[in-house]
């Protein structure tokens, strides 16, 4: 945390105990940093890019109006998630074109309630289409790959597959999405996957989503 150390000498003497004071801001960030790194690494799967994202989060935190922040950990986690997803979705990393449902960004808390509802409806529709048309293993790999830009290595580890097999499953998922076949969808399963997906997008913690998808694969 050399960047943080470089700012410690500029502590504001007036309100050091609050997060709006510099010492409080540094303390809040240092406490959250391990979780922020975990969030970034889950999304990016790259240590160097994750470090850059965490550093950018610090810069955003340093320049923010911290007096209006109710929960510093939540603010920092959301900022890290947004930045990491921006990197993951950049043209540099988006080297594949995907077929199938659009899975929109769902984590921007600044949008209007109407826009948020529209985005949730879009996710709801996309998830239903995946459940109707794509078998569990293919759906699991496709969802992590397309929505969160997982490298194929990661789904292969989660679902105990070969990396080449994971690539094949993603290709098959695209093929199934292009067909008109439909399978009945459990309302409970659909609602749970939507809620878990949205929570993963909002927090950057994909552990529960990975577990849910893995459970479907082994059934």
């Amino acid at each position: 945390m050399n960047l943080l150390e470089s700012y410690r000498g500029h502590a504001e003497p007036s309100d050091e105990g609050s997060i709006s004071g510099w010492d409080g801001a540094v303390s809040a960030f240092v406490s959250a940093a391990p979780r922020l790194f975990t969030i970034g690494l889950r999304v990016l799967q790259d240590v160097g890019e994750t470090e850059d994202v965490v550093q950018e989060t610090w810069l955003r935190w340093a320049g923010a109006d911290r007096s209006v922040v109710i929960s510093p950990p939540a603010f920092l986690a959301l900022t890290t998630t947004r930045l990491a997803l921006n990197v993951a979705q950049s043209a540099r990393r988006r080297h594949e074109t995907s077929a199938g449902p659009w899975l929109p960004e769902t984590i921007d808390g600044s949008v209007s309630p109407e826009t948020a509802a529209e985005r949730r409806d879009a996710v709801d529709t996309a998830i239903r289409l995946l459940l109707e048309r794509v078998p569990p293993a293919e759906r699991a790999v496709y969802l992590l790959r397309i929505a969160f830009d997982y490298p194929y290595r990661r789904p292969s580890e989660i679902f105990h597959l070969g990396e080449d097999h994971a690539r094949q499953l993603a290709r098959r998922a695209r093929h199934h999405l292009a067909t008109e076949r439909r399978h009945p969808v459990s309302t409970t399963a659909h609602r749970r996957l939507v809620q878990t997906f949205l929570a993963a997008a909002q927090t950057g913690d994909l552990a529960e989503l990975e577990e849910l998808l893995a459970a479907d694969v082994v059934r």
Side-chain angles (χ1 to χ4, degrees):
M1 291 296 176
N2 293 333
L3 180 62
L4 294 180
E5 293 298 332
S6 70
Y7 282 94
R8 285 188 185 276
H10 301 282
E12 301 170 7
S14 56
D15 53 353
E16 294 177 339
S18 70
I19 60 168
S20 59
W22 201 256
D23 284 353
V26 171
S27 178
F29 185 84
V30 170
S31 297
R35 180 173 180 240
L36 303 183
F37 189 85
T38 298
I39 290 171
L41 194 58
R42 281 188 183 278
V43 176
L44 297 170
Q45 300 293 311
D46 183 277
V47 172
E49 289 185 338
T50 298
E51 290 175 343
D52 290 342
V53 163
V54 173
Q55 178 169 309
E56 180 62 26
T57 299
W58 160 251
L59 295 175
R60 299 288 181 92
W61 176 240
D65 180 3
R66 296 181 298 277
S67 65
V68 301
V69 175
I70 297 174
S71 171
F75 176 95
L76 291 167
L78 182 58
T79 300
T80 300
T81 303
R82 286 173 173 167
L83 292 171
L85 288 177
N86 285 343
V87 171
Q89 293 168 354
S90 68
R92 178 172 55 81
R93 293 175 63 93
R94 203 186 309 121
H95 57 277
E96 293 185 358
T97 57
S98 61
W102 174 54
L103 291 169
E105 181 182 359
T106 59
I107 61 169
D108 187 355
S110 66
V111 300
S112 67
E114 292 80 8
T115 300
E118 289 174 359
R119 291 182 178 180
R120 182 181 177 89
D121 287 344
V123 171
D124 189 278
T125 300
I127 295 295
R128 175 171 290 279
L129 191 62
L130 283 170
L131 289 168
E132 288 177 340
R133 297 187 179 185
V134 183
E138 298 169 9
R139 179 171 65 241
V141 174
Y142 180 87
L143 187 59
L144 294 178
R145 175 66 182 168
I146 298 304
F148 298 99
D149 201 31
Y150 272 37
Y152 287 109
R153 169 180 53 80
R154 181 57 181 152
S156 69
E157 293 170 349
I158 297 170
F159 308 127
H160 306 290
L161 307 167
E163 190 168 332
D164 288 341
H165 189 191
R167 292 178 184 274
Q168 291 175 1
L169 290 174
R171 286 195 294 270
R172 291 175 190 169
R174 294 187 181 94
H175 172 74
H176 288 311
L177 285 167
T179 68
E180 293 299 323
R181 75 176 197 170
R182 303 281 175 126
H183 294 291
V185 174
S186 162
T187 300
T188 300
H190 175 237
R191 182 169 57 247
R192 184 180 180 190
L193 183 53
V194 169
Q195 292 173 343
T196 306
F197 174 86
L198 289 172
Q202 289 164 353
T203 66
D205 186 349
L206 276 68
E208 185 176 353
L209 179 62
E210 291 176 359
E211 291 173 5
L212 178 60
L213 294 173
D216 287 339
V217 169
V218 300
R219 284 177 186 169

